């Protein structure tokens, strides 16, 4: 059952973006814990300016408003908490244990993406400036529950990289059960964000479930691109990558797990 924090659940048949909705609500002073769930989004947002799409009535499209008492630099732990809760929920409902590909993608045993997480803060909100405690963070998760049912459902650019719970477990999965389990699992994780020991617990869980650690990665930043070996996460949830004799810490960006035989990418120009 959802805990006391996430009881104000606002459901939409259709909306542009549940993240956009909660950012507006946060600006109006909405408290921590408001949840927005949509059956369909007409302008769903993905990471790095991408869009997020799913046919109506198929997948879980959900955002939560958090106001965690987080020290500067620890914001990644808020999105990690939602990714971890998503993974908890999938395991509780289907028995399937998903990994987390850094920064926040939930992936199946075949390495394909089942869910993505997008955290957004309103820089125009005076309480958000400087990452002060209790500044609002909206964290959205889009989980492919029943779509795609087959590769033929997907746009060509997602074939081979996206999958769904339906495909992984071979049956239709009840979205409302996943939603309820996710909010229940998020309750203690969100509470953890407000204390040092709690944050250490979330970091440890993130590290334990992060499938990026120990793999060769190609890191794609806005203005740089490099390859190396991902060796660890920092306490803040950032990715530690060994590149030759240097160690780099990646705070944000895209990471590709490089498989043996993949050709190295040309340097960014
Ligand atoms: C990613 O690019 O991997 C992140 C995708 C996040 C999508 C979710 S769906 C619910 C919420 N509302 C949005 O507009 N985006 C997030």
């Amino acid at each position: 059952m959802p805990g006391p924090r996430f009881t104000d659940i606002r459901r939409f048949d259709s909306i542009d973006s549940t993240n956009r909705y909660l950012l507006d609500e946060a600006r109006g002073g909405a408290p921590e814990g408001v949840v927005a769930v949509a059956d369909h989004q007409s302008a769903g947002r993905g990471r790095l300016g991408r869009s997020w799409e799913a046919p109506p009535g198929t997948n879980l499209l959900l955002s939560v408003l958090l106001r965690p008492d987080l020290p500067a630099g620890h914001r990644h732990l808020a999105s990690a908490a939602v990714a971890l809760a998503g993974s908890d929920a999938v395991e509780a409902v289907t028995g399937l244990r998903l990994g987390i590909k850094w920064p926040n993608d939930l992936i199946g045993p075949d390495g394909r993406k089942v869910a993505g997480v997008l955290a957004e803060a309103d820089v125009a909100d005076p309480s958000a400036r400087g990452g002060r405690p209790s500044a609002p963070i909206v964290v959205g998760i889009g989980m492919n529950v029943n779509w795609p049912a087959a590769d033929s459902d997907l746009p060509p650019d997602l074939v081979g990289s996206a999958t769904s719970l339906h495909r992984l477990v071979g049956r239709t999965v009840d979205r409302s059960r996943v939603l309820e389990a996710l909010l229940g699992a998020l309750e203690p994780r969100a509470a953890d964000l407000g204390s040092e020991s709690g944050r250490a617990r979330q970091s440890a869980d993130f590290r334990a479930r992060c499938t990026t650690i120990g793999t060769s990665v190609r890191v794609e930043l806005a203005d740089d691109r490099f390859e190396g070996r991902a060796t660890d996460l920092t306490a803040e949830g950032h990715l530690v990558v060994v590149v030759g004799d240097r160690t780099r810490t990646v705070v944000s960006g895209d990471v590709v797990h490089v498989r043996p035989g993949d050709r190295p990418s040309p340097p960014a120009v």
Side-chain angles (χ1 to χ4, degrees), residues 15-20 40-47 49-54 61 118 120:
I15 194 170
D16 52 347
S17 156
T18 53
N19 266 32
R20 192 282 307 154
H40 182 246
Q41 294 182 128
S42 55
R45 303 175 182 174
R47 289 182 60 247
R50 298 176 188 131
S51 60
W52 186 265
E53 306 199 6
L61 307 167
L118 173 66
E120 295 186 271

Side-chain angles (χ1 to χ4, degrees), residues 91-113:
E91 188 166 7
V93 174
T94 69
L96 187 69
R97 197 167 169 87
L98 299 177
I100 303 180
K101 173 178 171 283
W102 195 90
N104 292 307
D105 290 348
L106 296 187
I107 58 169
D110 55 4
R112 295 187 191 194
K113 180 163 169 171

Side-chain angles (χ1 to χ4, degrees), residues 10 17 62 88 92 100 103 107 133 139 144 146 150 152 154 161 170 199 206-207 213 219 247 257 268:
R10 304 182 188 176
S17 156
L62 154 81
D88 296 337
I100 303 180
I107 58 169
V139 188
N144 298 342
N146 292 310
S152 54
L154 287 167
S161 63
R199 287 190 290 275
F206 190 19
R207 190 177 286 114
I213 298 171
V219 179
T247 298
H257 290 185

Side-chain angles (χ1 to χ4, degrees), residues 225-240:
R225 182 187 284 190
F226 58 89
E227 292 194 6
R229 190 160 185 82
T231 55
D232 203 359
L233 299 181
T234 66
E236 299 89 348
H238 302 149
L239 187 68
V240 179

Side-chain angles (χ1 to χ4, degrees), residues 48-96:
L48 306 171
R50 298 176 188 131
S51 60
W52 186 265
E53 306 199 6
T58 56
N59 289 348
L60 190 59
L61 307 167
L62 154 81
S63 301
V64 294
L65 172 55
L66 301 176
R67 292 180 177 274
D69 190 359
L70 276 173
H74 284 66
R75 225 185 78 171
H76 195 97
L77 291 183
S79 38
V82 171
L84 285 162
S87 156
D88 296 337
V90 169
E91 188 166 7
V93 174
T94 69
L96 187 69

Side-chain angles (χ1 to χ4, degrees), residues 143-163:
M143 187 182 292
N144 298 342
V145 178
N146 292 310
W147 179 91
D151 274 346
S152 54
D153 291 344
L154 287 167
D157 58 316
L158 293 181
V159 172
S161 63
T163 190

